[in-house]
Amino acid sequence: MKWKEIQKELETYIDPVKREYLPNFFKTGKGQYGEGDKFLGVVVPNTRIVAKRHKDEPFEVMAQLMQSEWHECRLCALLMMVERFKKSGEKQRKEIYDFYLSQTARINNWDLVDLSAPYIVGEYLKDKSRDDLYRLAGSSLLWDQRIAVVATATLIRNNDFIDIIRLSELLLNHKHDLMQKAVGWMLREMGKRDKDLLVQFLDKHAKVMPRTMLRYSIEKMTDEERAYYMKRD
C-alpha cells in the first residue's frame, strides 16, 4: 500500500538521537499535551523531502498517513497538502482545505499545526468568510483552537488584523500554556506591523491577560514598555 511505502521512505531518514529526544521535547508523557505520541526520529527537513516527492498522492493516502501512530507520518501528510496547495487552482484548494479541516483530530501537536495551518487555512481564507476560524476557536479540542489562532499568521502578513484581535479577546482567559503562547505570538506579529493597534489592545486587556500571553505579545517592545505592561496594579 502506498502509505506504507511513504512510511518506509521516512524510516530511511531515522536519526537514533532524535528518536530518543523528540518524545520528551513534544511532551508525550502521561498527562502531557502530546501524551502517547510516537516518533520515528526524522527531522522536519527530511520529512519535507519525502512530502514533496509524494504531494500528488490521493487524499486516501494522506488520510491513511494521518491515522498513523507515528508523528512524522502525520506531518508528512500535512506537508504533502501544503505542497499541493501551493500549486493548485481555486477548486483544488477548496478540496485540500475541506480535507484538512476533516482531519483536525489528528493534527494533534503544536508543530503539526504551526507547519500547516497558516499555509492552508490562512491562505484559503484570505479573501473569504472567517466563520471557520471562530468555529475552530470554539471547539473543545486544544489543537482546533490553535489552528484558528496560528492560521491568522497569513492574514497578519497581509495587514489583516481584525481576526487576531477578535480571537485574542475570545481566548483571553485560556488556561493552556500552548494557547497563551500562540495568542501572544500572533499579537506580537501584529504589533510588528501596527504597534498602535497592539498598544490599544494591551491598554484594554493587559491587566487580565495571562502572564505567558502578555510576555509573548510584548517581546518586541522596549524594556520600559515591557515593564509598564507587566505591572498588575
Side-chain angles (χ1 to χ4, degrees):
M1 297 176 74
K2 191 64 182 184
W3 70 269
K4 290 185 178 178
E5 292 176 24
I6 294 171
Q7 180 176 317
K8 287 187 183 303
E9 266 190 65
L10 287 168
E11 289 170 356
T12 66
Y13 292 101
I14 287 174
D15 179 336
V17 174
K18 292 293 184 184
R19 189 166 192 164
E20 184 92 7
Y21 167 78
L22 290 173
N24 290 326
F25 182 75
F26 285 104
K27 308 296 184 190
T28 62
K30 187 168 178 58
Q32 295 182 306
Y33 61 74
E35 181 177 350
D37 206 354
K38 296 174 68 174
F39 289 80
L40 292 168
V42 182
V43 296
V44 172
N46 289 333
T47 305
R48 203 180 292 279
I49 288 169
V50 177
K52 286 180 178 179
R53 286 187 195 131
H54 297 284
K55 66 181 185 300
D56 295 320
E57 294 295 337
F59 288 132
E60 289 80 5
V61 173
M62 296 181 192
Q64 288 166 323
L65 287 168
M66 289 300 296
Q67 290 304 310
S68 175
E69 63 180 340
W70 298 110
H71 186 99
E72 292 91 342
C73 286
R74 301 196 303 282
L75 177 58
C76 187
L78 293 166
L79 294 176
M80 287 160 67
M81 293 179 221
V82 169
E83 289 299 321
R84 186 185 299 186
F85 192 92
K86 290 177 189 175
K87 308 291 185 185
S88 293
E90 185 64 21
K91 181 175 181 293
Q92 292 170 311
R93 284 187 167 202
K94 185 179 189 320
E95 291 172 353
I96 296 165
Y97 174 80
D98 289 343
F99 177 71
Y100 181 91
L101 292 185
S102 77
Q103 300 294 313
T104 62
R106 300 296 294 161
I107 308 173
N108 53 359
N109 214 313
W110 62 262
D111 65 316
L112 302 180
V113 172
D114 296 5
L115 290 169
S116 61
Y119 310 106
I120 296 175
V121 179
E123 280 291 334
Y124 185 73
L125 295 181
K126 280 195 300 190
D127 59 351
K128 297 176 181 65
S129 164
R130 312 290 163 73
D131 289 351
D132 280 339
L133 294 183
Y134 296 92
R135 179 182 61 77
L136 289 163
S139 168
S140 60
L141 288 178
L142 171 69
W143 306 115
D144 278 358
Q145 296 166 0
R146 189 172 174 101
I147 287 168
V149 171
V150 175
T152 66
T154 302
L155 308 179
I156 291 167
R157 284 196 291 270
N158 285 272
N159 296 316
D160 184 347
F161 307 128
I162 188 64
D163 292 294
I164 189 52
I165 292 171
R166 290 177 176 171
L167 288 167
S168 297
E169 290 177 334
L170 187 66
L171 298 165
L172 197 61
N173 298 311
H174 207 290
K175 304 300 183 189
H176 202 291
D177 184 66
L178 279 176
M179 281 303 296
Q180 293 176 17
K181 289 177 180 177
V183 173
W185 175 29
M186 291 297 101
L187 287 171
R188 181 194 72 198
E189 293 304 301
M190 179 187 77
K192 285 159 63 174
R193 290 160 176 79
D194 191 332
K195 186 175 179 180
D196 288 345
L197 202 55
L198 176 59
V199 167
Q200 289 173 33
F201 184 91
L202 294 171
D203 286 346
K204 184 176 180 181
H205 298 296
K207 290 183 188 254
V208 297
M209 289 170 73
R211 302 292 274 188
T212 298
M213 185 186 298
L214 180 58
R215 280 199 304 273
Y216 270 69
S217 69
I218 61 177
E219 274 184 341
K220 298 300 181 181
M221 290 185 156
T222 66
D223 291 345
E224 292 78 13
E225 288 168 329
R226 289 199 301 273
Y228 171 79
Y229 283 116
M230 288 303 290
K231 288 191 299 187
R232 287 300 200 192
D233 53 14

